[in-house]
């Protein structure tokens, strides 16, 4: 192969290209014009220039390349996702040329950082570019603050990130992005008090931004400073009434059981925006709790017209149907939620509970068994399946599920909020051990142990649990104690107008005859088909 000699340009032979580039630079407007200037400048540098003109040509090439990069960046803003990756590539290529020939171009470094921060960009290159911009910005405090915020978002270490936010705020104390970023970082690291200071500054800088007020209120609530949160909301609302803030204050009022105040605020929110979906659902929840079914239905229906596929809306509609005794509608909506969000155990448990209440225990068992196949340690599901199995007279399976649920719940580290749930499992296990019609399953001693523990957890104040304790004593043959506790169960039932009072009295009469209680608890399965809305034809 023949080797061609390298062309060697004498120093200064690029001057003609430089002169032409300077002339074309004056009228250059389009990307094509700028490309011609760039080509001439690169040619001039390749051919050779004296030191002074070489430095000048590099500065000009840097400026032209920055202009090209800026133009591409503006085009990305205008066109959005269309051709984004190619435009970004061309913009970065031009900007890299700019900083190569003129490293002092802070704007080019900053644009390289911004473009690389976007999805699919080079995060490490963005961080280095932001650092270069910071170094070149000198006395331009505002832009240096912007570059520091950008670099802070790219840092992987919280201390380095905090240092950048601090420097950004020192450079520009009025920087909204810097205060926002530092507030979020302080919240993430648990420094809520300090985060609150940033939020107060943000409220001064952006008084129209209700999201900042809302976040400050949430910070105060995390600090259990409820009165301060209310005052902050009231002050903000006196300056500028906003629906989302009325709604947030309603949440606080509801948590304090000040439902009249909550309803007043929700009414104000809905006056400002009658299509406030969240306010409608929240008011429906409060009204339903007050047995105002008509008012709750009105709000739920209106909310569902606004967002017909909302998970929260469908859930509220299901609960409303349950309260109105429309079990088929309640089940249909809950099934819709289970289908939409199959990993949500709460929806599956509620569907199973609705099936159980509608006397469809086998359907309940099927739903729960599917859930337990994914999460065998779910004690709530085990307890509910045990209840359903009592209804199908599968006592051995019910006992096994109750025992498993009890074993799992006992492993929970925090038992303080589990007393009611645990007492329910203990009670039902004790009941079937004391009253099962299968003699091989009955165990009076264990029934007594679990029944006593359930009674202690509820401070001997629940009639149905005292009834279980009495049944356990009867199974052990201690009818004197059975009568004592059964009598107390009847007395409590009369005081509370318990719906099971008649059975409580029958149990007492049984023990007075020295007879233990036996109960099969069989439920006749509801076989009426549940029609989905699309199955129902309006005639």
């Amino acid at each position: 192969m023949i080797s061609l000699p390298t062309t060697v340009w004498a120093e200064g032979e690029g001057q003609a290209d430089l002169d032409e580039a300077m002339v074309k630079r004056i009228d250059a407007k389009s990307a094509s014009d700028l490309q011609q200037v760039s080509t001439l400048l690169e040619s001039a540098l390749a051919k050779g220039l004296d030191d002074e003109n070489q430095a000048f040509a590099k500065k000009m090439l840097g400026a032209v390349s920055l202009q090209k990069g800026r133009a591409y960046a503006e085009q990305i803003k205008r066109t959005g996702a269309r051709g984004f990756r190619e435009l970004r590539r061309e913009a970065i290529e031009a900007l890299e040329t700019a900083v190569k020939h003129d490293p002092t171009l802070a704007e080019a470094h900053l644009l390289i950082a911004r473009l690389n921060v976007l999805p699919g960009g080079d995060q490490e290159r963005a961080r280095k570019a932001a650092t270069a911009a910071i170094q070149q910005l000198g006395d331009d405090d505002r832009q240096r603050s912007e570059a520091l915020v950008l670099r802070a978002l790219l840092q992987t270490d919280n201390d380095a990130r905090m240092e950048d936010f601090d420097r950004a705020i020192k450079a520009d104390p009025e920087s909204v992005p810097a205060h926002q970023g530092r507030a979020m970082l302080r919240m993430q690291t648990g420094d809520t008090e300090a985060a609150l200071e940033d939020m107060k500054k943000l409220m001064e800088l952006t008084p129209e931004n209700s999201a900042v007020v809302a976040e400050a209120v949430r910070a105060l609530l995390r600090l259990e400073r409820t009165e301060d949160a209310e005052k902050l909301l009231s002050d903000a609302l006196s300056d500028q009434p906003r629906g989302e803030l009325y709604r947030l204050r309603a949440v606080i009022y509801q948590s304090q059981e000040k439902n009249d105040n909550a309803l007043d605020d929700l009414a104000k929110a809905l006056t400002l925006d009658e299509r406030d979906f969240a306010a409608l659902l929240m008011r429906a929840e409060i009204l339903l709790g007050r047995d105002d079914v008509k008012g709750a239905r009105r709000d739920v229906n209106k909310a569902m017209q606004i967002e017909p596929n909302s998970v929260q809306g469908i859930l509220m509609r299901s609960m409303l149907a349950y309260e109105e005794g429309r079990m088929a509608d309640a089940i249909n909506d809950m099934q819709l939620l289970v289908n939409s969000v199959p990993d949500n155990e709460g929806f599956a448990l509620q569907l199973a509970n609705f099936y159980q209440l509608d006397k469809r225990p086998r359907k309940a068992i099927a739903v729960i068994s599917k859930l337990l196949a994914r999460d065998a340690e779910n004690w709530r599901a085990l307890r509910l399946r045990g209840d359903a199995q009592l209804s199908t007279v599968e006592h051995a399976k019910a006992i096994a599920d109750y025992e498993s649920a009890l074993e799992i719940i006992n492993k929970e580290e925090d038992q303080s909020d589990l007393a009611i749930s645990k007492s329910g499992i203990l009670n039902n296990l004790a009941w079937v051990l004391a009253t099962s019609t299968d003699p091989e399953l009955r165990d009076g001693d264990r029934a007594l142990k679990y029944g006593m523990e359930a009674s202690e957890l509820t401070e001997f104040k629940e009639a149905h649990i005292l009834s279980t304790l009495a049944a356990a004593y009867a199974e052990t043959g201690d009818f004197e104690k059975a009568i004592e506790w059964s009598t107390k169960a009847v007395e409590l039932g009369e005081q509370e107008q318990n719906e099971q009072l008649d059975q409580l009295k029958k149990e007492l009469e049984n023990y007075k005859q020295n007879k233990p209680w036996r109960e099969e608890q069989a439920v006749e399965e509801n076989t009426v088909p549940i029609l989905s809305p699309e199955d129902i034809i309006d005639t």
Side-chain angles (χ1 to χ4, degrees):
M1 180 180 289
I2 299 173
S3 177
L4 298 175
T6 302
T7 302
V8 178
W9 298 100
E11 186 176 335
E13 290 188 17
Q15 188 63 48
D17 286 345
L18 175 59
D19 292 342
E20 187 179 350
M22 286 191 290
V23 172
K24 287 186 175 292
R25 177 75 176 87
I26 295 171
D27 296 322
K29 293 179 181 177
S30 68
S32 176
D33 294 339
L34 291 171
Q35 183 58 49
Q36 288 180 37
V37 175
S38 295
T39 301
L40 285 165
L41 288 168
E42 287 169 352
S43 174
L45 287 167
K47 290 177 180 179
L49 296 166
D50 60 37
D51 290 345
E52 184 178 350
N53 281 320
Q54 185 182 60
F56 177 76
K58 285 184 176 181
K59 286 279 186 183
M60 183 182 284
L61 182 54
V64 170
S65 298
L66 171 58
Q67 189 175 350
K68 284 170 60 181
R70 192 189 295 131
Y72 285 127
E74 287 297 324
Q75 193 174 345
I76 290 171
K77 284 183 182 179
R78 291 194 302 271
T79 60
R82 190 171 68 256
F84 160 70
R85 294 189 182 278
E86 180 59 25
L87 285 171
R88 177 171 65 177
R89 186 191 64 75
E90 291 179 340
I92 290 176
E93 188 176 291
L95 293 165
E96 292 288 8
T97 299
V99 298
K100 174 185 175 183
H101 291 287
D102 187 357
T104 67
L105 288 172
E107 184 184 351
H109 289 298
L110 203 50
L111 262 177
I112 290 170
R114 286 177 183 156
L115 289 166
N116 274 301
V117 162
L118 297 173
D122 183 340
Q123 300 291 298
E124 181 58 23
R125 179 68 187 101
R127 191 184 64 77
K128 289 179 178 178
T131 299
I134 293 164
Q135 291 168 348
Q136 297 300 328
L137 280 165
D139 295 331
D140 191 336
D141 289 342
R142 192 165 184 178
Q143 276 211 310
R144 193 166 73 257
S145 176
E146 182 183 338
L148 283 161
V149 169
L150 186 58
R151 189 175 69 176
L153 299 174
L154 293 162
Q155 300 281 22
T156 56
D157 177 75
N158 279 341
D159 290 338
R161 188 176 290 125
M162 185 63 75
E163 183 182 351
D164 277 349
F165 281 133
D166 288 341
R167 288 179 61 192
I169 291 169
K170 185 177 180 181
D172 180 10
E174 307 295 293
S175 169
V176 169
H179 283 289
Q180 283 179 330
R182 192 169 71 174
M184 290 178 63
L185 181 58
R186 283 172 163 175
M187 289 297 295
Q188 289 168 9
T189 56
D191 194 354
T192 308
E193 284 282 9
L196 194 56
E197 292 306 311
D198 277 320
M199 290 175 197
K200 288 178 180 177
K201 181 64 178 178
L202 283 169
M203 283 186 277
E204 293 175 16
L205 296 171
T206 58
E208 74 290 345
N209 190 344
S210 59
V212 175
V213 179
E215 194 55 47
V217 167
R218 294 186 183 98
L220 286 167
L221 292 175
R222 278 188 282 270
L223 293 169
E224 299 184 359
R225 290 167 54 183
T226 307
E227 289 184 10
D228 291 339
E230 284 184 44
K231 184 178 185 308
L232 181 61
L233 278 170
S234 298
D235 290 344
L237 285 165
S238 65
D239 291 338
Q240 185 180 349
R242 282 167 282 190
E244 59 269 31
L245 298 186
Y246 277 123
R247 195 188 330 120
L248 182 55
R249 193 168 65 176
V251 171
I252 296 175
Y253 285 143
Q254 187 183 21
S255 70
Q256 298 172 326
E257 298 184 359
K258 297 178 181 177
N259 285 330
D260 287 337
N261 292 345
L263 289 172
D264 286 344
D265 272 358
L266 291 170
K268 290 171 184 173
L270 288 163
T271 298
L272 291 168
D273 179 8
E274 64 179 8
R275 292 177 61 81
D276 188 331
F277 175 81
L280 285 165
L281 279 191
M282 187 176 172
R283 188 167 69 177
E285 181 183 351
I286 294 173
L287 292 175
L288 193 57
R290 291 185 160 193
D291 295 327
D292 184 356
V293 177
K294 183 178 179 181
R297 189 190 313 115
R298 174 202 63 216
D299 282 347
V300 168
N301 288 343
K302 188 168 184 179
M304 295 308 291
Q305 289 172 3
I306 298 166
E307 293 189 30
N309 297 318
S310 161
V311 168
Q312 289 302 315
I314 295 170
L315 178 61
M316 193 66 204
R317 188 173 66 188
S318 178
M319 293 303 173
L320 178 62
Y322 164 70
E323 289 294 334
E324 292 184 309
R326 295 182 287 109
M327 291 305 298
D329 291 339
I331 288 170
N332 271 328
D333 271 340
M334 200 55 63
Q335 182 66 66
L336 181 60
L337 291 177
V338 169
N339 293 343
S340 301
V341 196
D343 292 335
N344 188 307
E345 68 174 51
F347 293 159
L349 288 171
Q350 189 59 66
L351 175 61
N353 189 46
F354 280 166
Y355 275 135
Q356 179 73 350
L357 291 169
D358 199 37
K359 296 184 178 180
R360 301 176 191 268
R362 287 179 175 80
K363 286 188 175 293
I365 290 169
V367 171
I368 302 167
S369 296
K370 190 174 180 180
L371 171 60
L372 285 167
R374 300 196 310 266
D375 180 12
E377 296 288 296
N378 191 318
W379 58 263
R380 292 178 179 83
L382 286 163
R383 183 260 162 92
L384 190 53
R385 189 171 68 176
D387 292 347
Q389 285 162 341
L390 285 187
S391 300
T392 57
V393 201
E394 296 176 280
H395 290 181
K397 291 182 179 180
I399 290 170
D401 276 350
Y402 289 141
E403 287 174 338
S404 295
L406 192 58
E407 183 180 349
I408 294 165
I409 200 172
N410 281 334
K411 294 177 185 176
E412 295 280 351
E413 290 184 8
D414 185 5
Q415 295 281 320
S416 58
D417 295 327
L418 297 175
I420 299 300
S421 297
K422 188 174 178 179
S423 68
I425 298 170
L426 287 164
N427 177 75
N428 290 8
L429 176 56
W431 180 258
V432 68
L433 288 172
T435 68
S436 175
T437 52
D438 185 343
E440 293 186 7
L441 297 178
R442 291 196 302 273
D443 188 331
D445 291 335
R446 289 180 67 213
L448 187 56
K449 174 189 172 185
Y450 297 137
M452 183 60 73
E453 190 175 349
S455 299
E456 289 169 351
L457 284 171
T458 53
E459 299 178 343
F460 298 91
K461 293 179 180 178
E462 296 291 339
H464 70 286
I465 292 180
L466 297 185
S467 159
T468 298
L469 185 58
Y473 272 118
E475 178 58 24
T476 64
D478 190 342
F479 288 101
E480 183 178 342
K481 281 288 187 181
I483 292 168
E484 176 188 338
W485 288 109
S486 184
T487 300
K488 290 180 180 179
V490 170
E491 290 170 353
L492 272 177
E494 288 174 335
Q495 291 172 18
E496 300 166 354
Q497 296 182 330
N498 193 299
E499 60 182 16
Q500 294 179 319
L501 183 58
D502 287 343
Q503 176 169 322
L504 293 175
K505 289 179 178 179
K506 289 178 182 177
E507 291 169 15
L508 177 57
E509 289 304 314
N510 222 56
Y511 304 143
K512 287 178 178 179
Q513 298 173 33
N514 289 348
K515 294 179 181 177
W517 188 262
R518 297 287 176 261
E519 188 167 88
E520 200 171 61
Q521 285 191 246
V523 169
E524 185 178 347
E525 190 90 19
N526 184 353
T527 58
V528 176
I530 297 175
L531 299 177
S532 62
E534 54 269 24
D535 293 330
I536 300 172
I537 301 174
D538 187 2
T539 57

